[in-house]
Amino acid sequence: MEKTAFVFAGGGSLGAIEAGMLRELIASGVQPDFLVGASAGAINSVFFAFQPHVAGTMRLEYLWRGIRRQQIMPWSALSILSAFRSRGSHLVSSAKLRELLSEHYGSRTLEDADLPVYVVATEMKTGNEVVLSSGSAVDAVLASTAIPGVFPPVSLGGNMLIDGGVANNTPISTAIRLGATRVIVLTTGFTCAERRQPKGALEHAMSALNLLVARQLVSDLERWASHAAIAVVAPLCPLDVSPYDYSQCGQLIDRAATETRRWLEAGGLNSKEIPAALKPHTH
């Protein structure tokens, strides 16, 4: 019996891309049996799990179009300086993000979702993957999005948890271990040699991380290809938007929706090829 999983990758503000992809997948009639998400992908997977229909994709899109960085990461030069001076473990409080998540998830638990949903986080001491499928939806997503050094870790079930992207940014392996025979991957990663060179320390760090994530994804796709039918929704490329830039979410959604429609029309769901945009390339 075929069992389809949607896997949502992490990527900060680039999670908006997945909202555009999801809208077109659902509009085309593709229906998942369960969802798996890490980091920003956890936000999307849990939101959709509570509203797994066309209207839900539109509401998710509306959420991303309205998000501003100050709602997620309310930092300033002063707050960063204060964090360094106090030798704290993180730059900003997660209070604003908790407030945003509570607005959309309320007090619901993951078990309340209309579709089974699994949230990937990372155990801080060991680096091991932790898969959450019960308990507070807000707490689970806060744990999965707790970027090390940026947000504080989240204590759940006796573990201190951080961003799921550290252990498994695109949790294909998790979906297969949970029984998926068909995996549709919504990703934000890319490796394009024609991007402009990063500017500043943060962009250099994010660029290096992006390369690592894309490389790991390609490795995972090769490793798990014999275990399930895996289709990767066409990534956006070229892409020159920082994962910390929330001002372009609307444009990202529109681009992703257009590219996903083209991908679907070209028979992308049945393709087993690794997208060229995930490998080092030129245009």
Side-chain angles (χ1 to χ4, degrees):
M1 180 178 175
E2 187 174 80
K3 202 169 185 180
T4 299
F6 280 8
V7 169
F8 296 78
S13 64
L14 304 184
I17 292 170
E18 296 172 351
M21 293 174 170
L22 182 64
R23 183 226 294 173
E24 296 305 317
L25 286 169
I26 299 304
S28 73
V30 184
Q31 289 293 331
D33 294 295
F34 66 93
L35 313 168
V36 184
S39 200
I43 295 175
N44 292 334
S45 58
V46 173
F47 188 102
F48 183 65
F50 287 128
Q51 305 175 67
H53 40 61
V54 171
T57 68
M58 300 302 287
R59 293 189 186 109
L60 179 61
E61 180 179 335
Y62 180 79
L63 166 65
W64 277 105
R65 289 184 185 276
I67 286 179
R68 296 296 177 264
R69 184 184 61 78
Q70 289 297 327
Q71 292 175 278
I72 307 289
M73 300 173 181
W75 63 37
S76 63
L78 182 61
S79 67
I80 293 174
L81 183 60
S82 298
F84 279 118
R85 283 179 172 174
S86 66
R87 298 183 182 179
S89 63
H90 55 278
L91 292 177
V92 294
S93 164
S94 56
K96 286 284 189 181
L97 180 55
R98 176 179 286 277
E99 184 180 311
L100 179 66
L101 296 175
S102 296
E103 178 184 339
H104 293 281
Y105 304 156
S107 59
R108 288 179 288 186
T109 65
L110 296 180
E111 304 98 302
D112 294 331
D114 292 331
L115 266 181
V117 59
Y118 301 87
V119 173
V120 173
T122 304
E123 208 287 310
M124 188 170 70
K125 290 183 179 179
T126 63
N128 291 335
E129 177 181 345
V130 175
V131 180
L132 305 170
S133 59
S134 62
S136 164
V138 170
D139 288 344
V141 174
L142 276 179
S144 187
T145 55
I147 303 169
V150 177
F151 291 123
V154 175
S155 177
L156 278 181
N159 292 320
M160 294 300 289
L161 304 179
I162 57 175
D163 197 306
V166 174
N168 201 350
N169 192 70
T170 312
I172 295 168
S173 57
T174 309
I176 292 173
R177 286 196 299 268
L178 289 167
T181 58
R182 181 190 189 206
V183 178
I184 299 175
V185 184
L186 291 78
T187 182
T188 59
F190 69 107
T191 309
C192 181
E194 294 192 0
R195 289 176 294 166
R196 68 169 172 79
Q197 289 300 304
K199 299 176 182 178
L202 185 59
E203 279 199 16
H204 274 281
M206 291 309 302
S207 178
L209 181 60
N210 180 270
L211 292 171
L212 176 64
V213 165
R215 192 168 181 175
Q216 184 60 53
L217 174 55
V218 170
S219 176
D220 284 350
L221 290 170
E222 292 171 343
R223 177 181 178 185
W224 295 101
S226 62
H227 293 75
I230 305 173
V232 182
V233 182
L236 296 189
C237 186
L239 184 62
D240 188 18
V241 178
S242 164
Y244 291 114
D245 180 1
Y246 288 83
S247 68
Q248 301 185 54
C249 289
Q251 295 96 309
L252 292 176
I253 291 169
D254 293 338
R255 277 187 65 192
T258 298
E259 290 303 316
T260 302
R261 280 197 300 273
R262 290 175 181 164
W263 178 79
L264 287 165
E265 290 166 0
L269 281 173
N270 298 315
S271 174
K272 296 182 180 180
E273 294 184 2
I274 297 174
L278 293 177
K279 299 180 179 181
H281 63 277
T282 56
H283 293 273

